[in-house]
Amino acid sequence: GTAQELWAKALAISDPAGNRGVLLTLDQCGISRQSTDRVADELVRRHGLTRSAVMVNVSHTHCSPQLAGNLNGIQILPPDGLAKAVAYTRDLEQRMIRAADAALAALAPARIGWGVDAATFGFNRRENAEKDVLALRADGKLKGPFDPRVPVLAVHGEDGGLRALLISYACHNTTLGFQKWHGDYAGSAMAELERRHPGANVLFTIGCGADINPGPRREERFVEEHGRALADAADRALARPLQPVAGAFSSALEDITLTFSRRPTEEQLREAETKQQANQGMHRAWAASVRELIRTRGDKLLQYDYPVQAWRLGGLSWVALGGEVVVDYALRLRREAGENVWVFGYSNDVMAYIPSERVLKEGRYEGETSMVPYGQPGPWAPGLEDRIVAKSRELLARTAASR
């Protein structure tokens, strides 16, 4: 069933010189690079945009349909289910294009400003047992890195009315886990803010929250509580003077080659296919995915083209990173590049978890075993954090130079 409608939304931005960008946000768990490229290529063709000026971010709600080409390690659907996933994916791509078309057609003079507040329902799931979170939070004893920031971008029309609101938070969008469509806390926050601000289109971009969970969770009342907490943070930011966004828009997008650390042996693949174990269907799907990678990619099996994107809107900068990115990246990039940088995960291609060097060394789910549901051959090789951060800073500098 449908507990809450799922949305594809678009925000189009143009500077006085006519440089334009389109942000697409989706109530989806993930998306493949193939899907985002098909959408972006069509928008480039229709509207003359540069490829880097199209950004896609998924909210990572687990209460959403399976998309073709994503999470291949849990592709345990029967043939008719796989066909439905393909059909749904193609339909979603067309809806994304129509949303972007509508946003670009509706461009009008506006005043943009941004601010920041905070929400504290997220917690570092690697460092705190979920059952203890409420008590630990009450005692101020939660451990591990966490990013409470709720950045807000507000778009007001010439009449002063709020036309659009973009909010972000670095936390897994997984309060719920039932078999119904729902946008989770992000969907609840958007619905609440649209109720409070009639006529405004509210969008959500998820930050680097791959190792951050909402707490408490697993009950519908909690998703509404977290949604209200996020909406309250946004309204507090709106109630204070916002920093104006004025000047040029510029964008950059490049791939860097990341490397998986090892190739599974034939014995490991056979064991995954035959061993009686928990989630056996997932392990079989993982083996099938890796065999297909071996067949189609051969010696390039361990290489992955990872997307890094940067936007600059006057004095405000965004970095959009692919995959499920842990919180260390946002904290480090803001520390090194400034507090006017927003960092998104789950952007353009959700192919795997993206651990920091710290998390990679520690291993566990985010550092190692999460490669199974994603159908990837194995953990990343060391060095990925510095390469991703270096490319992010390079693209930020490039967009600043082109202002």
Side-chain angles (χ1 to χ4, degrees):
T2 298
Q4 186 182 72
E5 294 289 349
L6 304 179
W7 291 87
K9 297 183 178 182
L11 175 65
I13 295 173
S14 176
D15 68 12
N19 301 303
R20 296 169 298 161
V22 177
L23 167 69
L24 284 156
T25 65
L26 306 176
D27 293 331
Q28 285 290 156
C29 186
I31 196 166
S32 72
R33 180 68 176 270
Q34 291 75 24
S35 284
T36 58
D37 279 351
R38 279 191 291 267
V39 170
D41 289 347
E42 180 61 18
L43 294 176
V44 168
R45 186 189 70 80
R46 292 187 184 195
H47 300 286
L49 302 171
T50 63
R51 173 60 187 88
S52 62
V54 180
M55 181 183 291
V56 177
N57 181 274
V58 298
S59 73
H60 197 60
T61 173
H62 281 203
C63 299
S64 61
Q66 174 79 48
L67 295 189
N70 184 245
L71 286 163
N72 291 331
I74 54 174
Q75 283 276 16
I76 54 177
L77 300 172
D80 64 326
L82 291 172
K84 289 178 181 178
V86 171
Y88 176 83
T89 303
R90 296 296 180 266
D91 180 70
L92 177 63
E93 291 168 7
Q94 293 305 309
R95 290 172 184 268
M96 292 166 67
I97 292 167
R98 292 200 296 273
D101 286 345
L104 287 161
L107 280 168
R111 177 171 50 85
I112 304 176
W114 71 279
V116 176
D117 203 85
T120 58
F121 60 84
F123 70 95
N124 192 299
R125 69 187 193 187
R126 293 172 61 84
E127 304 295 335
N128 305 277
E130 187 169 314
K131 63 182 178 61
D132 300 328
V133 163
L134 286 179
L136 290 170
R137 183 180 289 136
D139 292 339
K141 294 181 179 180
L142 284 172
K143 299 178 182 178
F146 166 59
D147 185 2
R149 281 180 32 133
V150 179
V152 171
L153 185 83
V155 181
H156 290 88
E158 287 188 302
D159 61 357
L162 184 65
R163 293 181 56 198
L165 186 65
L166 172 65
I167 61 174
S168 186
Y169 192 51
C171 176
H172 246 80
N173 196 26
T174 54
T175 315
L176 302 172
F178 55 26
Q179 301 298 311
K180 298 178 183 179
W181 303 149
H182 198 292
D184 211 270
Y185 75 74
S188 294
M190 289 187 285
E192 177 65 15
L193 285 164
E194 289 183 350
R195 183 190 66 80
R196 296 180 186 181
H197 302 279
N201 190 12
V202 181
L203 301 87
F204 173 84
T205 50
I206 192 166
C208 299
D211 49 349
I212 308 299
N213 270 1
R217 59 179 188 159
R218 306 188 191 283
E219 295 182 29
E220 285 192 69
R221 63 190 177 102
F222 294 137
V223 81
E224 297 301 328
E225 287 180 12
H226 300 336
R228 284 193 297 272
L230 192 56
D232 289 345
D235 274 343
R236 287 193 298 268
L238 287 174
R240 296 191 293 269
L242 299 176
Q243 299 185 53
V245 175
F249 169 81
S250 56
S251 61
L253 171 66
E254 280 193 12
D255 291 343
I256 57 175
T257 301
L258 299 183
T259 305
F260 298 108
S261 62
R262 60 179 181 261
R263 171 175 174 160
T265 65
E266 178 59 29
E267 181 180 357
Q268 289 170 327
L269 293 174
R270 282 201 304 269
E271 180 180 4
E273 293 165 334
T274 60
K275 181 181 178 181
Q276 296 294 321
Q277 58 185 311
N279 296 319
Q280 187 174 14
M282 181 177 69
H283 287 278
R284 286 177 177 170
W286 170 78
S289 175
V290 173
R291 288 193 186 281
E292 180 64 10
L293 289 172
I294 292 171
R295 185 188 71 82
T296 57
R297 305 212 64 208
D299 293 340
K300 294 184 178 180
L301 165 73
L302 299 183
Q303 298 178 349
Y304 199 92
D305 292 335
Y306 176 82
V308 180
Q309 187 174 21
W311 277 17
R312 185 171 292 269
L313 303 86
L316 176 65
S317 293
W318 295 350
V319 172
L321 302 175
E324 297 201 47
V325 187
V326 300
V327 70
D328 293 0
Y329 284 85
L331 299 177
R332 178 177 172 182
L333 276 166
R334 286 210 309 275
R335 185 171 64 249
E336 296 182 4
E339 290 296 313
N340 65 334
V341 175
W342 299 11
V343 189
F344 308 141
Y346 302 86
S347 298
N348 299 312
D349 182 11
V350 185
M351 80 303 290
Y353 272 76
I354 305 299
S356 60
E357 291 302 313
R358 174 185 65 83
V359 172
L360 186 64
K361 289 176 183 177
E362 293 173 356
R364 295 153 53 194
Y365 183 72
E366 295 86 353
E368 183 161 354
T369 55
S370 61
M371 291 303 187
V372 174
Y374 275 102
Q376 300 294 6
W380 297 108
L384 76 164
E385 179 184 337
D386 283 345
R387 300 198 63 221
I388 292 170
V389 169
K391 179 56 68 172
S392 300
R393 297 193 65 178
E394 176 191 328
L395 297 186
L396 285 171
R398 188 184 308 171
T399 57
S402 63
R403 291 170 62 187

mmCIF file of all heavy atoms in Angstrom, residues 147-192:
data_model
loop_
_atom_site.group_PDB
_atom_site.id
_atom_site.type_symbol
_atom_site.label_atom_id
_atom_site.label_comp_id
_atom_site.label_asym_id
_atom_site.label_seq_id
_atom_site.Cartn_x
_atom_site.Cartn_y
_atom_site.Cartn_z
ATOM 1 N N ASP A 147 26.599 14.967 12.510
ATOM 2 C CA ASP A 147 26.433 16.285 11.917
ATOM 3 C C ASP A 147 24.990 16.740 12.112
ATOM 4 O O ASP A 147 24.098 16.343 11.361
ATOM 5 C CB ASP A 147 26.768 16.233 10.421
ATOM 6 C CG ASP A 147 26.741 17.602 9.767
ATOM 7 O OD1 ASP A 147 26.505 18.597 10.464
ATOM 8 O OD2 ASP A 147 26.962 17.666 8.535
ATOM 9 N N PRO A 148 24.714 17.570 13.112
ATOM 10 C CA PRO A 148 23.334 17.976 13.389
ATOM 11 C C PRO A 148 22.803 19.086 12.480
ATOM 12 O O PRO A 148 21.624 19.445 12.569
ATOM 13 C CB PRO A 148 23.413 18.471 14.831
ATOM 14 C CG PRO A 148 24.797 19.028 14.951
ATOM 15 C CD PRO A 148 25.670 18.138 14.101
ATOM 16 N N ARG A 149 23.630 19.623 11.618
ATOM 17 C CA ARG A 149 23.234 20.796 10.821
ATOM 18 C C ARG A 149 22.021 20.513 9.942
ATOM 19 O O ARG A 149 21.912 19.463 9.325
ATOM 20 C CB ARG A 149 24.384 21.246 9.923
ATOM 21 C CG ARG A 149 25.435 22.046 10.652
ATOM 22 C CD ARG A 149 26.567 22.489 9.756
ATOM 23 N NE ARG A 149 26.242 22.752 8.377
ATOM 24 C CZ ARG A 149 26.626 23.839 7.698
ATOM 25 N NH1 ARG A 149 27.334 24.767 8.305
ATOM 26 N NH2 ARG A 149 26.329 23.981 6.437
ATOM 27 N N VAL A 150 21.143 21.513 9.881
ATOM 28 C CA VAL A 150 20.015 21.507 8.941
ATOM 29 C C VAL A 150 20.140 22.768 8.090
ATOM 30 O O VAL A 150 19.640 23.837 8.460
ATOM 31 C CB VAL A 150 18.665 21.481 9.669
ATOM 32 C CG1 VAL A 150 17.515 21.504 8.653
ATOM 33 C CG2 VAL A 150 18.550 20.253 10.560
ATOM 34 N N PRO A 151 20.857 22.700 6.974
ATOM 35 C CA PRO A 151 20.937 23.864 6.092
ATOM 36 C C PRO A 151 19.632 24.047 5.322
ATOM 37 O O PRO A 151 18.956 23.076 4.977
ATOM 38 C CB PRO A 151 22.107 23.527 5.156
ATOM 39 C CG PRO A 151 22.220 22.050 5.199
ATOM 40 C CD PRO A 151 21.687 21.589 6.511
ATOM 41 N N VAL A 152 19.293 25.287 5.063
ATOM 42 C CA VAL A 152 18.022 25.647 4.440
ATOM 43 C C VAL A 152 18.289 26.671 3.346
ATOM 44 O O VAL A 152 19.012 27.650 3.567
ATOM 45 C CB VAL A 152 17.064 26.237 5.496
ATOM 46 C CG1 VAL A 152 15.821 26.817 4.828
ATOM 47 C CG2 VAL A 152 16.684 25.197 6.528
ATOM 48 N N LEU A 153 17.710 26.446 2.179
ATOM 49 C CA LEU A 153 17.752 27.410 1.072
ATOM 50 C C LEU A 153 16.324 27.845 0.793
ATOM 51 O O LEU A 153 15.457 27.010 0.502
ATOM 52 C CB LEU A 153 18.360 26.773 -0.180
ATOM 53 C CG LEU A 153 18.563 27.719 -1.372
ATOM 54 C CD1 LEU A 153 19.882 28.478 -1.208
ATOM 55 C CD2 LEU A 153 18.569 26.946 -2.696
ATOM 56 N N ALA A 154 16.067 29.150 0.883
ATOM 57 C CA ALA A 154 14.719 29.688 0.702
ATOM 58 C C ALA A 154 14.656 30.533 -0.561
ATOM 59 O O ALA A 154 15.535 31.375 -0.796
ATOM 60 C CB ALA A 154 14.316 30.523 1.916
ATOM 61 N N VAL A 155 13.619 30.313 -1.361
ATOM 62 C CA VAL A 155 13.406 31.064 -2.597
ATOM 63 C C VAL A 155 12.111 31.860 -2.449
ATOM 64 O O VAL A 155 11.021 31.272 -2.338
ATOM 65 C CB VAL A 155 13.314 30.123 -3.815
ATOM 66 C CG1 VAL A 155 13.121 30.942 -5.099
ATOM 67 C CG2 VAL A 155 14.552 29.244 -3.920
ATOM 68 N N HIS A 156 12.236 33.173 -2.429
ATOM 69 C CA HIS A 156 11.076 34.058 -2.322
ATOM 70 C C HIS A 156 10.841 34.740 -3.663
ATOM 71 O O HIS A 156 11.787 35.203 -4.318
ATOM 72 C CB HIS A 156 11.291 35.113 -1.244
ATOM 73 C CG HIS A 156 11.275 34.568 0.152
ATOM 74 N ND1 HIS A 156 12.410 34.076 0.772
ATOM 75 C CD2 HIS A 156 10.251 34.433 1.048
ATOM 76 C CE1 HIS A 156 12.105 33.666 1.984
ATOM 77 N NE2 HIS A 156 10.804 33.879 2.183
ATOM 78 N N GLY A 157 9.581 34.829 -4.060
ATOM 79 C CA GLY A 157 9.223 35.528 -5.279
ATOM 80 C C GLY A 157 9.259 37.034 -5.109
ATOM 81 O O GLY A 157 9.504 37.556 -4.008
ATOM 82 N N GLU A 158 9.014 37.733 -6.206
ATOM 83 C CA GLU A 158 9.042 39.203 -6.159
ATOM 84 C C GLU A 158 7.988 39.762 -5.205
ATOM 85 O O GLU A 158 8.142 40.873 -4.679
ATOM 86 C CB GLU A 158 8.838 39.765 -7.565
ATOM 87 C CG GLU A 158 10.045 39.595 -8.473
ATOM 88 C CD GLU A 158 9.881 40.328 -9.786
ATOM 89 O OE1 GLU A 158 8.915 40.045 -10.515
ATOM 90 O OE2 GLU A 158 10.725 41.199 -10.086
ATOM 91 N N ASP A 159 6.921 38.981 -4.984
ATOM 92 C CA ASP A 159 5.872 39.437 -4.064
ATOM 93 C C ASP A 159 6.205 39.127 -2.616
ATOM 94 O O ASP A 159 5.405 39.420 -1.710
ATOM 95 C CB ASP A 159 4.536 38.796 -4.440
ATOM 96 C CG ASP A 159 4.578 37.267 -4.351
ATOM 97 O OD1 ASP A 159 5.649 36.700 -4.047
ATOM 98 O OD2 ASP A 159 3.524 36.637 -4.601
ATOM 99 N N GLY A 160 7.371 38.523 -2.369
ATOM 100 C CA GLY A 160 7.774 38.178 -1.013
ATOM 101 C C GLY A 160 7.321 36.821 -0.546
ATOM 102 O O GLY A 160 7.715 36.367 0.540
ATOM 103 N N GLY A 161 6.481 36.140 -1.327
ATOM 104 C CA GLY A 161 5.985 34.831 -0.940
ATOM 105 C C GLY A 161 7.047 33.748 -1.093
ATOM 106 O O GLY A 161 7.901 33.811 -1.994
ATOM 107 N N LEU A 162 7.005 32.766 -0.212
ATOM 108 C CA LEU A 162 7.961 31.652 -0.268
ATOM 109 C C LEU A 162 7.537 30.697 -1.374
ATOM 110 O O LEU A 162 6.494 30.046 -1.298
ATOM 111 C CB LEU A 162 8.002 30.926 1.079
ATOM 112 C CG LEU A 162 9.031 29.797 1.212
ATOM 113 C CD1 LEU A 162 10.461 30.338 1.123
ATOM 114 C CD2 LEU A 162 8.830 29.038 2.529
ATOM 115 N N ARG A 163 8.385 30.609 -2.419
ATOM 116 C CA ARG A 163 8.064 29.752 -3.565
ATOM 117 C C ARG A 163 8.657 28.368 -3.416
ATOM 118 O O ARG A 163 8.069 27.373 -3.849
ATOM 119 C CB ARG A 163 8.592 30.381 -4.860
ATOM 120 C CG ARG A 163 7.915 31.663 -5.263
ATOM 121 C CD ARG A 163 8.496 32.178 -6.571
ATOM 122 N NE ARG A 163 8.397 31.176 -7.635
ATOM 123 C CZ ARG A 163 9.122 31.217 -8.763
ATOM 124 N NH1 ARG A 163 10.018 32.174 -8.932
ATOM 125 N NH2 ARG A 163 8.961 30.304 -9.683
ATOM 126 N N ALA A 164 9.858 28.268 -2.855
ATOM 127 C CA ALA A 164 10.522 26.973 -2.727
ATOM 128 C C ALA A 164 11.395 26.976 -1.486
ATOM 129 O O ALA A 164 11.901 28.023 -1.061
ATOM 130 C CB ALA A 164 11.355 26.664 -3.972
ATOM 131 N N LEU A 165 11.574 25.790 -0.924
ATOM 132 C CA LEU A 165 12.407 25.615 0.254
ATOM 133 C C LEU A 165 13.162 24.301 0.105
ATOM 134 O O LEU A 165 12.550 23.254 -0.125
ATOM 135 C CB LEU A 165 11.530 25.595 1.507
ATOM 136 C CG LEU A 165 12.223 25.550 2.860
ATOM 137 C CD1 LEU A 165 13.024 26.825 3.091
ATOM 138 C CD2 LEU A 165 11.188 25.371 3.969
ATOM 139 N N LEU A 166 14.474 24.376 0.213
ATOM 140 C CA LEU A 166 15.314 23.182 0.160
ATOM 141 C C LEU A 166 15.928 22.974 1.540
ATOM 142 O O LEU A 166 16.558 23.879 2.091
ATOM 143 C CB LEU A 166 16.417 23.345 -0.885
ATOM 144 C CG LEU A 166 17.491 22.247 -0.916
ATOM 145 C CD1 LEU A 166 16.898 20.916 -1.328
ATOM 146 C CD2 LEU A 166 18.633 22.639 -1.847
ATOM 147 N N ILE A 167 15.745 21.777 2.097
ATOM 148 C CA ILE A 167 16.315 21.451 3.402
ATOM 149 C C ILE A 167 17.190 20.213 3.256
ATOM 150 O O ILE A 167 17.019 19.416 2.332
ATOM 151 C CB ILE A 167 15.221 21.208 4.459
ATOM 152 C CG1 ILE A 167 14.334 20.022 4.064
ATOM 153 C CG2 ILE A 167 14.394 22.460 4.668
ATOM 154 C CD1 ILE A 167 13.315 19.625 5.112
ATOM 155 N N SER A 168 18.136 20.059 4.182
ATOM 156 C CA SER A 168 19.038 18.912 4.129
ATOM 157 C C SER A 168 19.333 18.427 5.541
ATOM 158 O O SER A 168 19.252 19.202 6.506
ATOM 159 C CB SER A 168 20.346 19.284 3.408
ATOM 160 O OG SER A 168 21.173 18.151 3.234
ATOM 161 N N TYR A 169 19.672 17.144 5.631
ATOM 162 C CA TYR A 169 20.055 16.560 6.930
ATOM 163 C C TYR A 169 20.885 15.320 6.659
ATOM 164 O O TYR A 169 20.604 14.564 5.713
ATOM 165 C CB TYR A 169 18.808 16.212 7.745
ATOM 166 C CG TYR A 169 19.063 15.877 9.205
ATOM 167 C CD1 TYR A 169 19.814 16.712 10.025
ATOM 168 C CD2 TYR A 169 18.513 14.730 9.776
ATOM 169 C CE1 TYR A 169 20.022 16.422 11.365
ATOM 170 C CE2 TYR A 169 18.710 14.430 11.120
ATOM 171 C CZ TYR A 169 19.473 15.277 11.912
ATOM 172 O OH TYR A 169 19.686 14.986 13.238
ATOM 173 N N ALA A 170 21.893 15.091 7.490
ATOM 174 C CA ALA A 170 22.820 13.967 7.288
ATOM 175 C C ALA A 170 22.437 12.814 8.198
ATOM 176 O O ALA A 170 23.031 12.608 9.258
ATOM 177 C CB ALA A 170 24.262 14.411 7.563
ATOM 178 N N CYS A 171 21.420 12.052 7.787
ATOM 179 C CA CYS A 171 20.934 10.946 8.604
ATOM 180 C C CYS A 171 20.205 9.961 7.706
ATOM 181 O O CYS A 171 19.435 10.363 6.820
ATOM 182 C CB CYS A 171 19.999 11.476 9.690
ATOM 183 S SG CYS A 171 19.238 10.214 10.718
ATOM 184 N N HIS A 172 20.448 8.675 7.935
ATOM 185 C CA HIS A 172 19.722 7.642 7.198
ATOM 186 C C HIS A 172 18.219 7.911 7.277
ATOM 187 O O HIS A 172 17.682 8.169 8.360
ATOM 188 C CB HIS A 172 20.021 6.262 7.801
ATOM 189 C CG HIS A 172 20.786 5.357 6.890
ATOM 190 N ND1 HIS A 172 22.152 5.465 6.736
ATOM 191 C CD2 HIS A 172 20.394 4.342 6.092
ATOM 192 C CE1 HIS A 172 22.561 4.543 5.880
ATOM 193 N NE2 HIS A 172 21.509 3.850 5.466
ATOM 194 N N ASN A 173 17.562 7.832 6.141
ATOM 195 C CA ASN A 173 16.129 8.113 6.051
ATOM 196 C C ASN A 173 15.360 6.799 6.241
ATOM 197 O O ASN A 173 14.622 6.354 5.363
ATOM 198 C CB ASN A 173 15.831 8.754 4.694
ATOM 199 C CG ASN A 173 14.481 9.425 4.644
ATOM 200 O OD1 ASN A 173 13.939 9.842 5.656
ATOM 201 N ND2 ASN A 173 13.939 9.535 3.454
ATOM 202 N N THR A 174 15.560 6.184 7.430
ATOM 203 C CA THR A 174 15.099 4.805 7.642
ATOM 204 C C THR A 174 14.413 4.635 8.989
ATOM 205 O O THR A 174 14.672 3.669 9.706
ATOM 206 C CB THR A 174 16.290 3.828 7.549
ATOM 207 O OG1 THR A 174 17.322 4.255 8.464
ATOM 208 C CG2 THR A 174 16.852 3.762 6.149
ATOM 209 N N THR A 175 13.522 5.550 9.338
ATOM 210 C CA THR A 175 12.735 5.357 10.548
ATOM 211 C C THR A 175 11.833 4.136 10.400
ATOM 212 O O THR A 175 11.617 3.386 11.351
ATOM 213 C CB THR A 175 11.877 6.597 10.830
ATOM 214 O OG1 THR A 175 12.659 7.776 10.657
ATOM 215 C CG2 THR A 175 11.310 6.561 12.236
ATOM 216 N N LEU A 176 11.306 3.947 9.197
ATOM 217 C CA LEU A 176 10.343 2.887 8.907
ATOM 218 C C LEU A 176 11.001 1.750 8.140
ATOM 219 O O LEU A 176 12.037 1.925 7.509
ATOM 220 C CB LEU A 176 9.176 3.448 8.097
ATOM 221 C CG LEU A 176 8.394 4.604 8.745
ATOM 222 C CD1 LEU A 176 7.404 5.181 7.756
ATOM 223 C CD2 LEU A 176 7.680 4.128 10.001
ATOM 224 N N GLY A 177 10.333 0.593 8.162
ATOM 225 C CA GLY A 177 10.809 -0.534 7.370
ATOM 226 C C GLY A 177 9.673 -1.423 6.938
ATOM 227 O O GLY A 177 9.865 -2.603 6.682
ATOM 228 N N PHE A 178 8.456 -0.836 6.843
ATOM 229 C CA PHE A 178 7.321 -1.685 6.450
ATOM 230 C C PHE A 178 7.160 -1.736 4.930
ATOM 231 O O PHE A 178 7.861 -1.053 4.188
ATOM 232 C CB PHE A 178 6.030 -1.241 7.140
ATOM 233 C CG PHE A 178 5.640 0.216 6.951
ATOM 234 C CD1 PHE A 178 6.035 0.956 5.848
ATOM 235 C CD2 PHE A 178 4.835 0.846 7.902
ATOM 236 C CE1 PHE A 178 5.641 2.278 5.680
ATOM 237 C CE2 PHE A 178 4.421 2.157 7.744
ATOM 238 C CZ PHE A 178 4.831 2.868 6.639
ATOM 239 N N GLN A 179 6.233 -2.589 4.476
ATOM 240 C CA GLN A 179 6.037 -2.813 3.042
ATOM 241 C C GLN A 179 4.960 -1.875 2.489
ATOM 242 O O GLN A 179 3.944 -2.299 1.923
ATOM 243 C CB GLN A 179 5.670 -4.277 2.798
ATOM 244 C CG GLN A 179 6.715 -5.270 3.278
ATOM 245 C CD GLN A 179 8.058 -5.098 2.567
ATOM 246 O OE1 GLN A 179 8.110 -5.025 1.337
ATOM 247 N NE2 GLN A 179 9.134 -5.036 3.332
ATOM 248 N N LYS A 180 5.178 -0.598 2.662
ATOM 249 C CA LYS A 180 4.322 0.438 2.092
ATOM 250 C C LYS A 180 5.207 1.561 1.583
ATOM 251 O O LYS A 180 6.287 1.789 2.102
ATOM 252 C CB LYS A 180 3.352 1.005 3.147
ATOM 253 C CG LYS A 180 2.379 0.009 3.730
ATOM 254 C CD LYS A 180 1.509 0.690 4.790
ATOM 255 C CE LYS A 180 0.563 -0.292 5.459
ATOM 256 N NZ LYS A 180 -0.264 0.372 6.502
ATOM 257 N N TRP A 181 4.716 2.291 0.590
ATOM 258 C CA TRP A 181 5.476 3.462 0.113
ATOM 259 C C TRP A 181 5.387 4.557 1.162
ATOM 260 O O TRP A 181 4.316 4.870 1.683
ATOM 261 C CB TRP A 181 4.917 3.981 -1.203
ATOM 262 C CG TRP A 181 4.827 3.043 -2.362
ATOM 263 C CD1 TRP A 181 3.895 3.084 -3.361
ATOM 264 C CD2 TRP A 181 5.700 1.949 -2.702
ATOM 265 N NE1 TRP A 181 4.125 2.091 -4.272
ATOM 266 C CE2 TRP A 181 5.226 1.375 -3.898
ATOM 267 C CE3 TRP A 181 6.822 1.392 -2.095
ATOM 268 C CZ2 TRP A 181 5.834 0.286 -4.501
ATOM 269 C CZ3 TRP A 181 7.435 0.293 -2.687
ATOM 270 C CH2 TRP A 181 6.949 -0.243 -3.872
ATOM 271 N N HIS A 182 6.527 5.170 1.446
ATOM 272 C CA HIS A 182 6.566 6.294 2.397
ATOM 273 C C HIS A 182 7.894 7.018 2.216
ATOM 274 O O HIS A 182 8.937 6.390 2.060
ATOM 275 C CB HIS A 182 6.444 5.789 3.836
ATOM 276 C CG HIS A 182 6.057 6.843 4.828
ATOM 277 N ND1 HIS A 182 6.891 7.903 5.169
ATOM 278 C CD2 HIS A 182 4.927 7.015 5.564
ATOM 279 C CE1 HIS A 182 6.285 8.666 6.060
ATOM 280 N NE2 HIS A 182 5.095 8.167 6.323
ATOM 281 N N GLY A 183 7.870 8.343 2.283
ATOM 282 C CA GLY A 183 9.095 9.134 2.158
ATOM 283 C C GLY A 183 9.909 9.210 3.428
ATOM 284 O O GLY A 183 10.938 9.877 3.469
ATOM 285 N N ASP A 184 9.459 8.529 4.494
ATOM 286 C CA ASP A 184 10.107 8.486 5.797
ATOM 287 C C ASP A 184 10.190 9.905 6.390
ATOM 288 O O ASP A 184 9.373 10.757 6.058
ATOM 289 C CB ASP A 184 11.480 7.806 5.723
ATOM 290 C CG ASP A 184 11.830 7.089 7.031
ATOM 291 O OD1 ASP A 184 12.435 7.727 7.911
ATOM 292 O OD2 ASP A 184 11.481 5.913 7.168
ATOM 293 N N TYR A 185 11.153 10.140 7.301
ATOM 294 C CA TYR A 185 11.156 11.431 7.999
ATOM 295 C C TYR A 185 11.298 12.599 7.026
ATOM 296 O O TYR A 185 10.743 13.686 7.252
ATOM 297 C CB TYR A 185 12.230 11.478 9.086
ATOM 298 C CG TYR A 185 13.656 11.650 8.608
ATOM 299 C CD1 TYR A 185 14.129 12.876 8.134
ATOM 300 C CD2 TYR A 185 14.545 10.581 8.642
ATOM 301 C CE1 TYR A 185 15.434 13.033 7.703
ATOM 302 C CE2 TYR A 185 15.863 10.740 8.216
ATOM 303 C CZ TYR A 185 16.293 11.962 7.739
ATOM 304 O OH TYR A 185 17.583 12.120 7.298
ATOM 305 N N ALA A 186 12.049 12.385 5.927
ATOM 306 C CA ALA A 186 12.199 13.457 4.940
ATOM 307 C C ALA A 186 10.866 13.778 4.291
ATOM 308 O O ALA A 186 10.518 14.954 4.104
ATOM 309 C CB ALA A 186 13.221 13.051 3.883
ATOM 310 N N GLY A 187 10.100 12.741 3.944
ATOM 311 C CA GLY A 187 8.781 12.965 3.369
ATOM 312 C C GLY A 187 7.845 13.646 4.351
ATOM 313 O O GLY A 187 7.072 14.540 3.987
ATOM 314 N N SER A 188 7.908 13.249 5.619
ATOM 315 C CA SER A 188 7.057 13.877 6.628
ATOM 316 C C SER A 188 7.445 15.336 6.844
ATOM 317 O O SER A 188 6.578 16.195 7.034
ATOM 318 C CB SER A 188 7.153 13.100 7.939
ATOM 319 O OG SER A 188 6.602 11.797 7.786
ATOM 320 N N ALA A 189 8.743 15.628 6.828
ATOM 321 C CA ALA A 189 9.190 17.012 6.991
ATOM 322 C C ALA A 189 8.728 17.881 5.831
ATOM 323 O O ALA A 189 8.260 19.017 6.034
ATOM 324 C CB ALA A 189 10.713 17.058 7.118
ATOM 325 N N MET A 190 8.849 17.371 4.611
ATOM 326 C CA MET A 190 8.408 18.141 3.448
ATOM 327 C C MET A 190 6.907 18.402 3.506
ATOM 328 O O MET A 190 6.443 19.525 3.241
ATOM 329 C CB MET A 190 8.793 17.415 2.158
ATOM 330 C CG MET A 190 10.274 17.433 1.862
ATOM 331 S SD MET A 190 10.716 16.750 0.240
ATOM 332 C CE MET A 190 10.510 14.983 0.526
ATOM 333 N N ALA A 191 6.126 17.374 3.856
ATOM 334 C CA ALA A 191 4.673 17.550 3.937
ATOM 335 C C ALA A 191 4.303 18.554 5.021
ATOM 336 O O ALA A 191 3.412 19.391 4.837
ATOM 337 C CB ALA A 191 4.009 16.197 4.203
ATOM 338 N N GLU A 192 4.982 18.495 6.173
ATOM 339 C CA GLU A 192 4.703 19.420 7.263
ATOM 340 C C GLU A 192 5.040 20.856 6.871
ATOM 341 O O GLU A 192 4.266 21.792 7.153
ATOM 342 C CB GLU A 192 5.492 19.004 8.509
ATOM 343 C CG GLU A 192 5.342 19.924 9.704
ATOM 344 C CD GLU A 192 3.950 19.963 10.290
ATOM 345 O OE1 GLU A 192 3.131 19.065 9.967
ATOM 346 O OE2 GLU A 192 3.659 20.886 11.075
#
